[in-house]
Amino acid sequence: MKRFINSRHNIVTEALDGFLLSSPNAGLARLDGYPHTKVIVRTDWDKSRVALISGGGSGHEPAHAGFVGEGMLTAAVCGEIFASPGVDAILAAILAVTGEAGALLIVKNYTGDRLNFGLAAERAKALGCKVELVIVADDIAIPGAVQPRGVAGTLFVHKIAGYMAARGMSLKQVSRQARATAASCLSIGLSLDTCTVPGNIRQDYLGSDEAELGLGIHGEPGVSKVAVASANKLMMLACKKLAKATGASRSSYAMIVNNLGAVPPLEMAILVNSFAKTRLAEKVDIIIGPAHLMTSLNMNGFSLSLMPLTRQRKQALLFDVAANSWPGLRVRGKTTIIKLPEVNTERKYKASTDKNTQAIIRAVCRVLLEAENDLNELDTHTGDGDTGTTFANAARCVKKQLKFLPSADGAELTTALSDVLARNMGGSSGVLMAILLAATGEAYRHKADWPLAFRKGVEQVMQYGGARPGDRTMLDALLPGLETLMRGKSIIEAATAARKGARATAKMNKARAGRSSYVHADSLKGITDPGAEAIARIFETIADRSSPNS
Amino acid sequence: MKRFINSRHNIVTEALDGFLLSSPNAGLARLDGYPHTKVIVRTDWDKSRVALISGGGSGHEPAHAGFVGEGMLTAAVCGEIFASPGVDAILAAILAVTGEAGALLIVKNYTGDRLNFGLAAERAKALGCKVELVIVADDIAIPGAVQPRGVAGTLFVHKIAGYMAARGMSLKQVSRQARATAASCLSIGLSLDTCTVPGNIRQDYLGSDEAELGLGIHGEPGVSKVAVASANKLMMLACKKLAKATGASRSSYAMIVNNLGAVPPLEMAILVNSFAKTRLAEKVDIIIGPAHLMTSLNMNGFSLSLMPLTRQRKQALLFDVAANSWPGLRVRGKTTIIKLPEVNTERKYKASTDKNTQAIIRAVCRVLLEAENDLNELDTHTGDGDTGTTFANAARCVKKQLKFLPSADGAELTTALSDVLARNMGGSSGVLMAILLAATGEAYRHKADWPLAFRKGVEQVMQYGGARPGDRTMLDALLPGLETLMRGKSIIEAATAARKGARATAKMNKARAGRSSYVHADSLKGITDPGAEAIARIFETIADRSSPNS
């Protein structure tokens, strides 16, 4: 199993150091005493409030260090991966942050954590500290479990107690609310794969068509295997369990959507959408996440946690915190859908007639249709042999649309042609031609000078398409032709320049843009670029029409 | 490949709906026009400022929708997975949010995105909008690349331009700063595995000992394969590439540490710690992340992006935003390490002598040493056969420490014995005994009544250990003995009650706590719980000493 670790023996201390180096909340520190004592504490803490201390085995990041900060925890005591911290480390954390107001320990329901936090609490009491302890046992996976596990519902306890403590309530009040919160939380997990402890061999006890429902956060097998199914179906299975656990309660709930480690953000968002379709969603008025809150190393799964809302709890959830990893929340509301801007429907042009312009366009279309096979043949050497067909398709569409186009208005006509090509030509060349014509039309609108307007259009093609002269593209014919016109020369001379430019592409053995750039130089030798050839033929067609003999 | 999706055909629309349902920033909406038009826009937008529009193919979540909000983007245009959005969708986004101040399009350097955003920009201009476009090409993987890819450095452009726009700067000013930012960003990626497009077969072209350096965000192979190595080594390889690209620049930099999709938070924190050891770290004054910013579906890798800092850029980075997925930042500083509270070192007790107390303790130690084999034998039926040894070890330690203990001070003695057992007895029973004695000592300190103090100790054991009377634990002997004493009866009667309680455990076939809870009921039949047996013998020992015949 490939992992980003160094030695398995200092995973947790290295991760905590990395955490402190990058923590946006700069008011954090660690207690001295590595490797045994791994405690993250607030430095902006004045002991006048009830201290909140949580922790447990590591491997659940960002829990718990990511929740240390004003409005949530005062300290997090971190054990090794999936192993409770020792009594001395917990006691050190208590003594470091507990003042007159006392401390509340928030402990997930695992024997090791209960005992070690419990003994540390007793020792701290013997040293004169006021200490209370709340055990979170929110997992509902095992029906009738005497000791349900503590999982992501713990975050609710952190948040509610954090608010009470920040508001200056007494240890007795904070503890009472924390216990009530813990008693009311319900959580269930579902995963497509188990997690792997760094250094261990990957345990793939699930088949490729199996998922697990009702799992813990330490890689222990889930209560049941379920068939892999759609996100909607899997979410429904998890929600049914929760709905059953809520029973006939008519409460409204807050829900945590927790990423158990390795689910991509895209899929977590799909799961939220699936959740919204369940019946349980009707009872959920606040969503927290999706986010990494209480992970299980690299587990490819999620968990849901519910807490019944009261006015006070809602207020507590909304309270802003300085902890890095509290993701904020969303109060249920309708998604706003904004009407599309009008113009997105087919653009309307006022058809007009200009015999000469229409004749030129028809001639250009004819030559492109005739060139289809030649251009395709050239393209087989450098691309997938469809340049001719792409241009021919464009020509067919333009011919068909011609009578609906504003032929008598140069700027409007060019813009309209851009639209026709964008919709019908296809491929990158379709978009490039559309950009050329759109930008040309826009330029002509400001100044009625065709060569200049086309030159502006070509500039946009270069910007968006990324090609430069000499890159073996249609630009190598287009630019010489246009520049000849801009120097006041005739269209016949321009056509000669475009043809010369097209011919030169046969000697360019390094394509730097477009499809030819992926082709080996030898394959390009002696082959004219099909786009440049098309442009040369267009110039020649227009030149023919304007020559005295035409 | 197991994924949380429904149909591959509506992954993006479902994910965007899930995103909107759970977005902590409630000021977001989408444009009508699914499935073609997938655009997230701000609803709290008044068009008086320069609009910032970004987007591209999906599969990079939270980019770009997660960065829409005051201080960052105005709209995000989302294509299908790894495919550019269409021109019409982009144009719709531009028209929906662009006012007098104009719009800046921030585009990652991929041909499809450049062309489609480019054509949309030209069309919008033709419709009278002021539009500028900046292309981000921050990838440094391919030396001398003509068209470097746009990757996570794009976030810097969002943030810097977002600040400028929020401050009311003109389109010209915002565009200039955005282009300068884009031109200055440098990024490199490293991954242990490639990503898999949902619905496709997993392409495992990397060996189990191979990683990739210099990869893009669309699953295209990296520039080089490197051997899997420690996090430190892999981070060093990535940083060397970046350091080379920065050249002789003496700038200080901001750096983004980007999770490419599936790296657990624990490992991302280790990578930050590895980064801090590189030479490049000396030049980095601001760290953003580790966080999911510009992912590549489920890729198990990370990327680093650098931007040279100026006074203005630093100010821009620090500016608060309403976008969901901007993770904040950390300005470089020393990690604070706080001295451990004094008490964590070995606790000092003032030795004192009380002949009678010491004699009782010695007697109890003797009986526990004698009971070692009997208790081990009982434990083989229900546990791993070491209860006797655990108690005997405790007895040996206590005997050795006895002369250093405060025997004449009941409360201090009990607390001291708790410490001795916590340090030396081991296992859950060691912690449970330590809790019992610590809580007993604390209670005795308040009221010098042994039975009552022990009863308080037992309550804490029940709370932390989770066992109740009848659960087949030492409590089943301890509680009857103590309760007999509390009713004013003699120690002899208490010993009888404890023995009776111990015997009763042989008939309890359902253990609900402790190790026996994992054992089948039949295996427990007729076997006394070894912990209860130990307690009964302790009571009998004390009773013997106090009986007239002793």
Side-chain angles (χ1 to χ4, degrees):
Chain A
M1 180 107 223
K2 296 187 268 186
R3 307 293 278 262
F4 291 111
I5 64 166
N6 291 299
S7 155
R8 63 187 291 181
H9 302 298
N10 43 22
I11 287 176
V12 180
T13 53
E14 288 191 345
L16 288 177
D17 283 342
F19 168 81
L20 287 169
L21 286 166
S22 56
S23 165
N25 175 3
L28 300 181
R30 69 173 177 89
L31 294 191
D32 206 355
Y34 274 176
H36 181 68
T37 302
K38 299 181 286 291
V39 176
I40 302 296
V41 294
R42 285 178 59 183
T43 54
D44 53 356
W45 175 245
D46 66 4
K47 296 193 182 182
S48 68
R49 303 288 153 97
V50 173
L52 298 182
I53 302 169
S54 194
S58 292
H60 308 301
E61 295 66 28
H64 294 274
F67 303 109
V68 178
E70 171 68 14
M72 289 188 84
L73 301 179
T74 318
V77 194
C78 309
E80 290 300 310
I81 303 278
F82 295 171
S84 176
V87 174
D88 288 351
I90 302 167
L91 182 60
I94 298 173
L95 296 174
V97 299
T98 305
E100 283 291 307
L104 173 65
L105 312 188
I106 302 168
V107 181
K108 299 195 295 300
N109 194 22
Y110 299 97
T111 306
D113 286 333
R114 274 204 324 260
L115 296 181
N116 290 322
F117 277 87
L119 179 52
E122 292 307 313
R123 292 234 186 126
K125 285 184 205 166
L127 294 166
C129 295
K130 269 172 37 189
V131 180
E132 293 285 335
L133 186 146
V134 52
I135 290 170
V136 190
D138 53 319
D139 182 40
I140 59 152
I142 305 162
V146 178
Q147 293 290 354
R149 298 171 284 210
V151 288
T154 310
L155 273 296
F156 281 128
V157 184
H158 292 175
K159 189 70 180 70
I160 304 294
Y163 168 76
M164 308 282 165
R167 291 287 298 270
M169 297 192 187
S170 72
L171 179 59
K172 202 174 148 187
Q173 291 171 307
V174 176
S175 302
R176 194 176 55 221
Q177 294 291 343
R179 288 201 181 97
T181 302
S184 73
C185 290
L186 305 166
S187 296
I188 189 87
L190 189 149
S191 181
L192 300 176
D193 273 311
T194 186
C195 64
T196 308
V197 173
N200 289 5
I201 302 297
R202 187 185 164 85
Q203 281 203 333
D204 241 346
Y205 62 80
L206 285 178
S208 65
D209 55 353
E210 287 178 328
E212 284 198 299
L213 182 61
L215 35 78
I217 52 175
H218 299 95
E220 62 270 43
V223 164
S224 56
K225 288 187 182 180
V226 296
V228 164
S230 66
N232 288 343
K233 180 78 187 297
L234 293 173
M235 177 54 77
M236 209 185 62
L237 286 176
C239 287
K240 270 191 176 169
K241 286 262 179 199
L242 280 179
K244 197 173 162 195
T246 62
S249 156
R250 290 165 66 189
S251 294
S252 107
Y253 288 85
M255 185 174 79
I256 287 172
V257 185
N258 176 44
N259 189 333
L260 281 168
V263 184
L266 179 74
E267 294 174 43
M268 289 304 298
I270 290 175
L271 284 167
V272 170
N273 189 55
S274 298
F275 169 74
K277 298 175 186 169
T278 65
R279 288 185 60 186
L280 184 62
E282 290 159 28
K283 290 182 166 187
V284 171
D285 283 330
I286 286 178
I287 292 184
I288 295 147
H292 291 82
L293 295 161
M294 181 74 76
T295 61
S296 179
L297 294 170
N298 59 346
M299 189 174 277
N300 188 17
F302 68 93
S303 71
L304 305 176
S305 301
L306 289 180
M307 176 185 70
L309 283 169
T310 59
R311 199 188 50 74
Q312 194 185 34
R313 285 186 189 166
K314 192 165 171 177
Q315 202 169 22
L317 288 178
L318 286 164
F319 190 66
D320 214 17
V321 301
N324 293 329
S325 298
W326 178 253
L329 58 80
R330 175 56 176 271
V331 177
R332 178 154 73 157
K334 260 191 122 56
T335 293
T336 310
I337 301 177
I338 293 175
K339 204 164 162 287
L340 270 187
E342 272 294 325
V343 75
N344 210 42
T345 58
E346 189 86 19
R347 188 174 166 144
K348 297 285 183 292
Y349 298 98
K350 210 177 146 190
S352 59
T353 308
D354 179 289
K355 296 271 177 215
N356 187 40
T357 305
Q358 288 175 328
I360 291 175
I361 292 174
R362 268 195 214 97
V364 168
C365 289
R366 193 182 322 119
V367 77
L368 288 176
L369 286 166
E370 286 165 5
E372 179 167 358
N373 290 338
D374 291 0
L375 298 179
N376 278 346
E377 205 282 323
L378 286 174
D379 191 35
T380 55
H381 297 277
T382 58
D384 45 10
D386 65 354
T387 301
T389 303
T390 304
F391 274 96
N393 283 343
R396 264 184 285 270
C397 283
V398 169
K399 267 178 73 180
K400 225 161 73 181
Q401 294 284 318
L402 194 51
K403 61 173 177 255
F404 306 113
L405 297 181
S407 301
D409 179 335
E412 277 292 282
L413 175 64
T414 328
T415 306
L417 283 171
S418 169
D419 277 7
V420 172
L421 295 186
R423 278 178 212 283
N424 300 292
M425 189 167 166
S428 293
S429 41
V431 183
L432 282 167
M433 291 305 296
I435 289 172
L436 174 67
L437 294 170
T440 300
E442 184 60 13
Y444 191 81
R445 205 165 276 124
H446 288 99
K447 191 171 181 192
D449 173 341
W450 280 122
L452 184 70
F454 266 105
R455 187 65 178 76
K456 294 255 179 199
V458 168
E459 276 165 21
Q460 294 307 313
V461 167
M462 289 196 287
Q463 188 196 336
Y464 301 133
R468 295 286 169 272
D471 281 355
R472 210 192 132 84
T473 68
M474 66 170 81
L475 292 177
D476 293 315
L478 193 48
L479 275 174
L482 287 177
E483 277 159 7
T484 304
L485 290 175
M486 287 172 77
R487 286 197 304 275
K489 304 293 170 96
S490 74
I491 179 71
I492 296 168
E493 284 166 293
T496 307
R499 169 55 61 198
K500 199 177 148 196
R503 232 179 258 131
T505 62
K507 288 176 199 142
M508 297 173 185
N509 60 2
K510 180 74 190 115
R512 297 201 314 163
R515 186 132 40 185
S516 302
S517 59
Y518 304 121
V519 175
H520 195 272
D522 283 350
S523 319
L524 304 174
K525 224 168 157 182
I527 308 296
T528 301
D529 177 71
E533 175 67 27
I535 297 294
R537 291 196 188 190
I538 291 171
F539 267 97
E540 287 164 350
T541 305
I542 303 173
D544 273 357
R545 286 190 49 82
S546 66
S547 80
N549 310 344
S550 79
Chain B
M1 179 109 224
K2 295 187 268 187
R3 307 293 276 266
F4 291 112
I5 65 166
N6 292 300
S7 155
R8 62 187 292 181
H9 301 298
N10 43 22
I11 287 176
V12 179
T13 53
E14 289 191 345
L16 289 177
D17 283 342
F19 168 80
L20 287 169
L21 286 166
S22 56
S23 165
N25 175 4
L28 300 181
R30 69 172 176 91
L31 294 189
D32 204 356
Y34 273 176
H36 180 67
T37 303
K38 299 181 285 290
V39 176
I40 303 296
V41 294
R42 285 178 58 183
T43 55
D44 53 356
W45 174 245
D46 66 4
K47 296 193 181 183
S48 68
R49 303 287 152 96
V50 173
L52 297 181
I53 302 168
S54 193
S58 292
H60 308 302
E61 295 64 31
H64 295 273
F67 302 109
V68 178
E70 171 69 16
M72 289 189 85
L73 300 180
T74 318
V77 195
C78 309
E80 290 301 310
I81 303 278
F82 294 172
S84 175
V87 174
D88 288 350
I90 301 167
L91 182 60
I94 298 172
L95 296 175
V97 299
T98 306
E100 284 290 308
L104 173 65
L105 313 188
I106 301 167
V107 181
K108 300 195 295 299
N109 195 21
Y110 298 97
T111 306
D113 286 334
R114 274 204 326 261
L115 295 180
N116 290 322
F117 277 87
L119 179 53
E122 292 307 315
R123 290 231 189 129
K125 284 183 204 166
L127 294 167
C129 295
K130 269 171 42 186
V131 180
E132 293 284 335
L133 187 145
V134 53
I135 290 170
V136 190
D138 53 318
D139 181 42
I140 60 153
I142 306 164
V146 179
Q147 293 289 353
R149 298 171 285 212
V151 288
T154 310
L155 272 296
F156 281 128
V157 183
H158 292 175
K159 188 70 179 73
I160 304 294
Y163 168 76
M164 308 283 166
R167 292 287 299 271
M169 296 193 188
S170 71
L171 179 59
K172 201 174 150 187
Q173 289 171 309
V174 176
S175 302
R176 195 175 56 223
Q177 294 291 343
R179 289 202 181 95
T181 301
S184 74
C185 289
L186 305 166
S187 296
I188 189 88
L190 188 151
S191 182
L192 300 176
D193 271 312
T194 187
C195 64
T196 307
V197 174
N200 289 5
I201 304 295
R202 186 185 164 87
Q203 282 202 333
D204 241 347
Y205 61 79
L206 285 177
S208 65
D209 55 352
E210 288 177 327
E212 284 197 298
L213 182 61
L215 37 79
I217 53 175
H218 300 95
E220 62 270 42
V223 165
S224 55
K225 288 187 182 179
V226 297
V228 164
S230 66
N232 287 343
K233 181 78 188 296
L234 292 173
M235 177 53 78
M236 207 185 62
L237 285 177
C239 286
K240 269 193 177 167
K241 286 265 179 195
L242 280 179
K244 198 173 161 196
T246 63
S249 156
R250 291 164 65 188
S251 293
S252 107
Y253 288 85
M255 185 174 79
I256 287 172
V257 185
N258 176 45
N259 189 334
L260 281 168
V263 184
L266 179 75
E267 294 174 44
M268 289 304 299
I270 290 175
L271 285 168
V272 170
N273 189 55
S274 298
F275 168 75
K277 299 174 185 171
T278 64
R279 290 186 58 187
L280 183 63
E282 291 159 28
K283 289 183 165 185
V284 171
D285 283 329
I286 286 179
I287 292 184
I288 294 146
H292 291 83
L293 295 162
M294 181 74 75
T295 62
S296 178
L297 293 170
N298 60 345
M299 190 175 276
N300 189 16
F302 68 92
S303 71
L304 305 175
S305 301
L306 289 180
M307 175 185 70
L309 283 168
T310 60
R311 197 189 49 75
Q312 193 184 35
R313 285 186 189 165
K314 193 165 173 178
Q315 201 167 23
L317 288 179
L318 287 165
F319 191 65
D320 213 17
V321 300
N324 293 328
S325 300
W326 179 252
L329 58 81
R330 175 57 176 271
V331 177
R332 177 153 74 158
K334 261 191 122 57
T335 293
T336 310
I337 301 177
I338 294 175
K339 205 165 161 285
L340 271 187
E342 272 295 327
V343 75
N344 210 46
T345 57
E346 190 85 17
R347 189 175 164 142
K348 297 284 182 293
Y349 298 99
K350 210 177 147 190
S352 59
T353 308
D354 179 287
K355 296 272 178 215
N356 188 40
T357 302
Q358 288 174 328
I360 290 175
I361 290 173
R362 269 195 215 95
V364 168
C365 290
R366 194 181 323 117
V367 77
L368 288 176
L369 286 166
E370 287 164 4
E372 180 167 358
N373 290 339
D374 291 358
L375 298 179
N376 279 347
E377 205 281 321
L378 285 175
D379 191 34
T380 53
H381 298 276
T382 60
D384 46 8
D386 65 354
T387 302
T389 304
T390 304
F391 275 95
N393 283 343
R396 265 185 284 272
C397 283
V398 170
K399 268 178 72 180
K400 227 162 70 183
Q401 294 285 318
L402 193 51
K403 61 174 176 245
F404 306 114
L405 296 181
S407 301
D409 179 334
E412 276 293 280
L413 174 64
T414 328
T415 305
L417 283 171
S418 168
D419 277 6
V420 171
L421 295 186
R423 278 178 212 284
N424 300 294
M425 188 168 166
S428 294
S429 42
V431 182
L432 282 167
M433 292 305 295
I435 289 173
L436 174 67
L437 294 170
T440 299
E442 184 60 11
Y444 191 82
R445 204 164 277 122
H446 288 99
K447 190 168 183 194
D449 173 341
W450 280 122
L452 185 69
F454 266 106
R455 186 65 177 79
K456 295 253 179 200
V458 169
E459 276 164 21
Q460 294 307 313
V461 166
M462 290 197 285
Q463 189 196 334
Y464 302 134
R468 296 284 169 276
D471 282 355
R472 210 194 133 83
T473 67
M474 64 169 83
L475 292 177
D476 293 315
L478 194 49
L479 274 173
L482 287 177
E483 276 157 9
T484 304
L485 290 175
M486 286 172 77
R487 286 200 302 275
K489 305 291 170 98
S490 74
I491 179 71
I492 296 168
E493 286 166 291
T496 307
R499 169 54 62 197
K500 198 175 150 201
R503 233 179 259 132
T505 61
K507 288 179 200 142
M508 297 174 183
N509 60 3
K510 179 76 189 113
R512 299 200 313 161
R515 187 130 43 185
S516 301
S517 59
Y518 304 122
V519 175
H520 194 272
D522 281 351
S523 318
L524 304 174
K525 226 169 158 179
I527 308 296
T528 302
D529 177 71
E533 176 66 27
I535 297 295
R537 292 198 187 189
I538 292 172
F539 266 97
E540 286 163 352
T541 305
I542 303 173
D544 272 357
R545 285 190 49 81
S546 65
S547 80
N549 311 343
S550 78

